[in-house]
Amino acid sequence: RRVHGRWAHLAKLDLIRQRNKPIEPAKAPPQAPFFLPTIAGLTPKFDLTAAPKSAEAEAALAAGSRVLNFSNLKADTAWTRALAAGAQSGDFSALMAITKTLAPSALDFELRSLTTPDEVGDLLRWLTAGLESRVDFELYQVFTEVALLAHRDVLLADTRRFAVPLALLQEQLDASWAVLDKLLNANLCMVKLFRGVAV
């Protein structure tokens, strides 16, 4: 099974979601008699311990406001932890192992959930290192497209900070395409050679 086939439509996931959107809005199911608390993440896990409320939630309730500031909330998943660890150590093999187990929609969520400039910088370092490794070229090409589209506002907001990482990424993209172009030209020459040989 080709890995690329699984990720081929990752860049067009928004268009696919729009096309598959139901004509009628979904009806709410009847209210369940109880709800079990869950732990945030991509895989649902039940929180069996009665965890105290966060300090921010308690402060909001004490102030009389029931509105939480979601800009401070951050999705902490195994993928984001592996990205941060890989950016510090320079070894992204654990991140790629986790990435290959995710469904395209889950990976799209992970890529889009990165909000801070530090996380986007780590993402650019991962993409540059992946293209430099010359392994899974199609995957990194799709990831690069989705990441640049999803985080263009963060990248454009701080052009000084991201100038060098984006230049390095562009350099690796050009080098990868040059290797691919050389291989394609060599194969075309071989096809022309064998086409002209009389048997």
Side-chain angles (χ1 to χ4, degrees):
R1 176 175 140 194
R2 284 182 50 186
V3 179
H4 175 262
R6 185 175 179 191
W7 307 107
H9 302 295
L10 183 64
K12 297 174 180 61
L13 206 56
D14 290 334
L15 182 65
I16 293 170
R17 283 185 185 139
Q18 183 66 27
R19 187 183 63 206
N20 292 341
K21 190 175 182 181
I23 297 170
E24 290 183 15
K27 294 180 182 176
Q31 191 173 13
F34 64 91
F35 293 99
L36 295 175
T38 57
I39 298 172
L42 295 177
T43 56
K45 295 178 185 173
F46 294 112
D47 186 10
L48 301 177
T49 62
K53 294 180 181 177
S54 68
E56 185 176 328
E58 288 179 4
L61 286 174
S65 172
R66 298 180 75 183
V67 178
L68 290 176
N69 184 5
F70 287 102
S71 63
N72 295 333
L73 299 178
K74 184 179 142 186
D76 187 29
T77 62
W79 193 87
T80 55
R81 287 191 299 271
L83 176 65
Q88 287 180 351
S89 68
D91 179 24
F92 293 100
S93 57
L95 177 63
M96 197 58 187
I98 294 172
T99 300
K100 287 186 177 181
T101 64
L102 294 176
S105 58
L107 182 61
D108 183 64
F109 169 77
E110 292 286 0
L111 287 172
R112 292 177 189 275
S113 68
L114 303 176
T115 55
T116 65
D118 290 334
E119 292 174 331
V120 175
D122 292 346
L123 181 65
L124 293 177
R125 279 192 284 284
W126 171 54
L127 294 171
T128 303
L131 288 169
E132 191 175 4
S133 70
R134 306 286 189 261
V135 178
D136 296 325
F137 174 72
E138 295 94 354
L139 298 181
Y140 285 110
Q141 189 73 24
V142 171
F143 298 160
T144 302
E145 180 182 353
V146 172
L148 291 178
L149 284 173
H151 299 295
R152 63 180 173 261
D153 53 344
V154 176
L155 296 170
L156 292 174
D158 197 356
T159 52
R160 276 193 201 155
R161 178 180 187 157
F162 294 113
V164 173
L166 286 172
L168 291 173
L169 182 62
Q170 179 66 44
E171 184 181 313
Q172 287 304 318
L173 280 168
D174 291 342
S176 298
W177 276 109
V179 169
L180 190 61
D181 190 42
K182 186 177 178 182
L183 289 172
L184 287 173
N185 285 333
N187 287 334
L188 285 173
C189 290
M190 294 299 287
V191 168
K192 286 182 182 180
L193 173 71
F194 288 126
R195 189 180 287 168
V197 174
V199 179

